[in-house]
C-alpha cells in the first residue's frame, strides 16, 4: 500500500492551515464534511482515503485524483463523500491534458 504525501503532490500552491488531529476534515471516515480543494491537508487526507477504498498501488493514480479534483471537479460538489462519488462515477471518462515537465 502506498501513502501519498506532500512531496508527491502535483500542485504546490496549497494552503496549509494547521488543524487538530481529530478535525473531521483530515481524520476519520469520509462523510458530509465540507471539502476545500485549496487546503493541502484535506487533499492529502481525501486521496489517502481513496487509496484505501480502491486499493490503489500507483502514485500516478493518486496524481490523477489530485488533478481531477483541481481541474475537473464541479463547483457544486462540496463534501468529502460527494467528491469521492463524483470521481468514482467519472473516473473512466475524465480526460486530462498531459503535462510534460522539463520539456519546451
Amino acid at each position: 500500500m502506498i501513502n501519498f504525501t506532500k512531496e508527491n503532490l502535483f500542485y504546490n500552491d496549497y494552503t496549509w492551515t494547521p488543524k487538530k488531529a481529530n478535525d473531521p476534515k483530515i481524520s476519520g471516515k469520509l462523510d458530509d464534511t465540507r471539502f476545500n480543494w485549496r487546503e493541502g491537508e484535506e487533499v492529502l487526507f481525501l486521496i489517502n482515503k481513496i487509496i484505501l477504498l480502491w486499493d490503489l498501488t500507483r502514485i500516478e493514480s493518486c496524481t490523477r485524483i489530485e488533478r481531477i479534483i483541481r481541474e475537473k471537479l464541479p463547483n457544486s460538489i462540496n463534501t468529502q463523500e460527494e467528491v469521492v462519488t463524483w470521481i468514482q462515477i467519472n473516473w473512466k471518462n475524465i480526460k486530462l491534458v498531459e503535462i510534460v515537465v522539463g520539456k519546451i
Side-chain angles (χ1 to χ4, degrees), residues 61-92:
S61 297
C62 301
T63 301
R64 178 174 167 75
I65 293 168
E66 179 193 4
R67 290 190 62 205
I68 287 170
I69 290 169
R70 178 65 77 92
E71 299 171 25
K72 303 293 182 175
L73 191 69
N75 290 334
S76 61
I77 305 297
N78 297 307
T79 70
Q80 295 170 344
E81 287 177 327
E82 289 173 342
V83 173
V84 173
T85 300
W86 188 88
I87 292 171
Q88 188 172 28
I89 290 169
N90 294 286
W91 182 260
K92 291 182 180 179

Side-chain angles (χ1 to χ4, degrees), residues 2 5-6 21 23 31-32 58 61 65-66 81 95-96:
I2 59 174
T5 66
K6 187 175 181 177
D23 187 322
D31 56 20
D32 62 354
R58 300 179 56 221
S61 297
I65 293 168
E66 179 193 4
E81 287 177 327
K95 304 289 187 230
L96 297 171

Side-chain angles (χ1 to χ4, degrees), residues 2-103:
I2 59 174
N3 183 38
F4 198 68
T5 66
K6 187 175 181 177
E7 290 73 31
N8 299 122
L9 289 169
F10 184 82
Y11 291 100
N12 63 3
D13 59 346
Y14 293 104
T15 56
W16 298 92
T17 306
K19 293 179 177 40
K20 294 181 181 179
N22 64 348
D23 187 322
K25 292 181 178 188
I26 60 165
S27 68
K29 63 180 183 135
L30 298 174
D31 56 20
D32 62 354
T33 301
R34 191 161 186 81
F35 176 73
N36 182 350
W37 60 266
R38 293 175 191 91
E39 282 286 340
E41 289 293 338
E42 292 185 42
V43 171
L44 288 175
F45 172 71
L46 191 86
I47 291 172
N48 281 300
K49 282 296 189 179
I50 292 173
I51 288 170
L52 294 173
L53 290 171
W54 299 352
D55 197 27
L56 298 178
T57 58
R58 300 179 56 221
I59 292 291
E60 293 82 6
S61 297
C62 301
T63 301
R64 178 174 167 75
I65 293 168
E66 179 193 4
R67 290 190 62 205
I68 287 170
I69 290 169
R70 178 65 77 92
E71 299 171 25
K72 303 293 182 175
L73 191 69
N75 290 334
S76 61
I77 305 297
N78 297 307
T79 70
Q80 295 170 344
E81 287 177 327
E82 289 173 342
V83 173
V84 173
T85 300
W86 188 88
I87 292 171
Q88 188 172 28
I89 290 169
N90 294 286
W91 182 260
K92 291 182 180 179
N93 299 322
I94 294 174
K95 304 289 187 230
L96 297 171
V97 174
E98 185 175 341
I99 298 174
V100 180
V101 178
K103 301 240 178 173

